[in-house]
């Protein structure tokens, strides 16, 4: 799972997405958004955190070891 963000509409996320994919993170597991650092609420970041918490909780209840960072 990964997260990519850039702050300006003119900026591109491609290099971040490529770097995450290069670490073995599938594109469908990357949460990405173009949003200013001035914005306090970042919807895709919040979604990524919720998803990570759900995976962690599921892993604990399933009796599995902690997932890797990927």
């Amino acid at each position: 799972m990964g997260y990519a963000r850039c702050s300006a509409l003119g900026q591109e996320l491609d290099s971040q997405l490529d770097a995450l994919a290069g670490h073995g993170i599938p594109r469908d597991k990357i949460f990405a958004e173009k949003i200013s650092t001035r914005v306090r609420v970042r919807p895709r970041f919040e979604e990524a955190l919720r998803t990570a918490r759900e995976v962690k909780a599921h892993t604990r209840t399933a009796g599995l070891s902690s997932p890797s960072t990927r």
Side-chain angles (χ1 to χ4, degrees), residues 19-33:
L20 290 166
H23 285 283
I25 302 171
R27 295 271 175 144
D28 65 336
K29 302 291 184 197
I30 298 172
F31 297 83
E33 62 192 341

Side-chain angles (χ1 to χ4, degrees), residues 3-70:
Y3 175 74
R5 184 197 64 81
C6 63
S7 60
L9 293 177
Q11 293 177 331
E12 294 300 324
L13 291 166
D14 293 337
S15 62
Q16 292 179 54
L17 296 173
D18 290 343
L20 290 166
H23 285 283
I25 302 171
R27 295 271 175 144
D28 65 336
K29 302 291 184 197
I30 298 172
F31 297 83
E33 62 192 341
K34 290 186 178 187
I35 194 165
S36 171
T37 55
R38 296 178 189 166
V39 176
R40 291 233 184 247
V41 177
R42 298 181 186 152
R44 295 292 287 163
F45 181 69
E46 295 299 326
E47 185 179 353
L49 288 177
R50 277 192 305 277
T51 301
R53 289 180 185 121
E54 289 171 7
V55 168
K56 185 177 179 181
H58 176 72
T59 301
R60 285 184 182 163
T61 60
L64 303 173
S65 62
S66 297
S68 70
T69 55
R70 291 187 184 180

